[in-house]
Amino acid sequence: MKKPLKYMIVMVILLIVIMGTAGCGSSKSAGGDNASKNENKPTIVIGSKTFTEALLLGTMSYQYLQYLGYPVENKVGLGELAVIRPALESKQIGAYWEYTGTVLINVMKHAPSFDEKESFNLVKEWDAKNNIIWLDNAPLNDTYAVMVRKDIADKYSLRTTSDLIEQIKKGEKIRFITSQEYLGRPDGLTHFETVYNFKYPRDLTILAALNIGYEALKTNQAEMALSYTTDARVKAYGLVTLEDDKKAFAVYSAAPLFRKEILDAYPQIPEQMKKLSSLLDNNTIMDLNKAVDIDKKSVEEVAKEFLTQKGLIK
C-alpha cells in the first residue's frame, strides 16, 4: 500500500510544479499591467469600414492594443455605416473609427456642422446615451476641399479658396468638374456659393462622378475639382488643395469609438489611444493612404511600419 501512496504524492507534487511554471510565463503588458490581469475581461473586437483610410485606422488600433497586451479580435473591414454602426450598437464589435459628420448627418439626422468642436460635442453627447464613447479625435478632417492643378495654383498664386474665387469673379475661365449629387445636397454647391458670396458660371461647370475629378485635372480637362482632404491622389498627381478659409465644408473629424463596457474594463485605453490619434493629421494619413493605394503596400505592413517608427510598438 505504501508504494501507490508514495506514487500519488509524487504525482501531486509534479502537477503543482507544472502549474506553477505555467503561471510564471512572460506576457506583454497592457498599460503597465500584467496581461494576466485581463483574464475574465471582455475581448475587444475591433472593426472598421472598408476604404483604405478606415482599414488603416482599424489595423493600427488592432496592432497597437494587441501589442499592449489587451485581448483583441480583428474584424477590420467589416462593412460601411449600414453594417458597422449596428454592429457596434448590438455589441458585436467593441470599437471602430468614425467621422463626426457621418454620425451627425446620417445617424442623428442633424444639419451639417462646420465647426470642429461643435460637431464633436454633438455626437459625443448623443452617443453617450447609447453607451458609446467618443475618445479624443485625431487632428484630421476627411472632408471636401477645392483642388486645382499646380500650374493653375502657380499662375494665380492660389493658397486659399478665397484666392480662387477672386479670380473667377474677375472672369478667369476656370473649369470646375463636380458631381450631380454635390449640386443638390444641402451642404453642396449652393451652400458653397453662399459662404463665398459668388455664383459659379454654369457654362464652366462639368458634371461627372466625384472620383473622375482627379483624372480630369491630371489630364488637363479641367482646372478645378472637389477632392477629399486626405485622398492619396492629391499628392500622387501633384495637385494643390486650397485652404477652406471661410469654412464652407462640413467637418468630418475622425475619432475612435468604444463601447462603454470596454472602457469600464480597461480604463487606461483613452490615454493610450490618444498617443495614436494625436499623430494622425491630414498630411500623415494622406501619406499612409498613398503607401497603400499608390505604392501598393499592404495595410498591415504600412500600419506596422508607422507604429514602429512612432515608438508605439516594437
Side-chain angles (χ1 to χ4, degrees):
M1 293 293 293
K2 288 182 180 179
K3 201 167 185 178
L5 180 60
K6 186 182 293 185
Y7 175 78
M8 289 176 65
I9 292 172
V10 170
M11 289 301 294
V12 170
I13 293 172
L14 182 60
L15 183 60
I16 292 171
V17 170
I18 291 172
M19 291 177 66
T21 303
C24 293
S26 62
S27 61
K28 292 175 182 175
S29 63
D33 296 333
N34 189 280
S36 64
K37 292 184 179 181
N38 291 329
E39 292 179 2
N40 302 319
K41 289 188 177 183
T43 297
I44 309 168
V45 183
I46 299 175
S48 85
K49 297 178 182 179
T50 61
F51 56 94
T52 299
E53 184 170 299
L55 294 172
L56 283 164
L57 293 171
T59 301
M60 286 190 287
S61 300
Y62 171 76
Q63 292 179 353
Y64 179 42
L65 293 179
Q66 182 182 53
Y67 174 79
L68 292 175
Y70 292 104
V72 290
E73 182 179 342
N74 189 345
K75 290 291 183 181
V76 171
L78 184 64
E80 300 310 319
L81 183 65
V83 173
I84 200 162
R85 176 74 191 195
L88 184 68
E89 292 176 347
S90 62
K91 304 182 183 180
Q92 295 177 56
I93 63 172
Y96 85 102
W97 281 75
E98 187 54 278
Y99 299 87
T100 54
T102 300
V103 169
L104 188 67
I105 298 168
N106 300 104
V107 178
M108 295 172 59
K109 306 302 180 184
H110 193 284
S113 173
F114 304 90
D115 180 87
E116 178 184 345
K117 289 184 179 180
E118 178 192 53
S119 181
F120 182 79
N121 288 335
L122 284 170
V123 296
K124 182 177 182 178
E125 291 171 9
W126 192 82
D127 257 341
K129 302 170 186 175
N130 303 313
N131 290 318
I132 295 171
I133 308 301
W134 287 72
L135 301 187
D136 290 344
N137 62 284
L140 76 87
N141 179 21
D142 189 356
T143 187
Y144 291 118
V146 170
M147 61 179 172
V148 295
R149 301 196 317 254
K150 188 176 185 305
D151 62 306
I152 297 299
D154 291 343
K155 178 179 179 180
Y156 297 111
S157 300
L158 304 180
R159 186 183 63 82
T160 68
T161 303
S162 290
D163 295 336
L164 175 68
I165 301 307
E166 286 304 310
Q167 297 302 321
I168 296 169
K169 287 179 177 179
K170 289 177 182 178
E172 294 295 334
K173 303 297 182 183
I174 298 175
R175 294 168 295 173
F176 176 33
I177 186 164
T178 187
S179 65
Q180 182 67 49
E181 179 204 5
Y182 185 69
L183 296 184
R185 56 188 293 164
D187 59 341
L189 182 61
T190 300
H191 173 77
F192 177 66
E193 291 175 328
T194 299
V195 171
Y196 281 96
N197 190 29
F198 84 115
K199 196 77 173 176
Y200 211 96
R202 292 300 183 258
D203 62 321
L204 295 176
T205 303
I206 304 168
L207 296 182
L210 182 62
N211 284 330
I212 299 298
Y214 300 94
E215 308 303 327
L217 265 61
K218 183 182 178 183
T219 55
N220 293 345
Q221 297 177 55
E223 288 73 46
M224 165 189 169
L226 285 181
S227 72
Y228 294 117
T229 50
T230 62
D231 196 298
R233 288 169 293 184
V234 173
K235 185 168 289 189
Y237 292 178
L239 304 173
V240 177
T241 299
L242 302 180
E243 178 190 344
D244 178 23
D245 52 306
K246 291 192 176 181
K247 310 299 181 189
F249 298 112
V251 176
Y252 286 82
S253 299
L257 275 61
F258 280 78
R259 290 203 56 84
K260 183 177 183 297
E261 56 267 28
I262 297 295
L263 299 183
D264 288 343
Y266 308 112
Q268 292 172 311
I269 283 181
E271 281 304 312
Q272 291 166 333
M273 285 298 296
K274 189 174 183 178
K275 293 179 182 178
L276 170 59
S277 60
S278 64
L279 300 173
L280 301 172
D281 58 19
N282 278 17
N283 283 330
T284 299
I285 200 69
M286 188 185 290
D287 285 337
L288 296 175
N289 287 336
K290 179 179 178 294
V292 175
D293 291 337
I294 307 299
D295 302 335
K296 303 304 179 183
K297 294 183 178 181
S298 71
V299 169
E300 292 75 17
E301 179 187 4
V302 173
K304 186 176 181 180
E305 285 179 355
F306 178 77
L307 293 174
T308 303
Q309 289 170 3
K310 299 301 181 180
L312 296 181
I313 69 172
K314 295 181 181 179

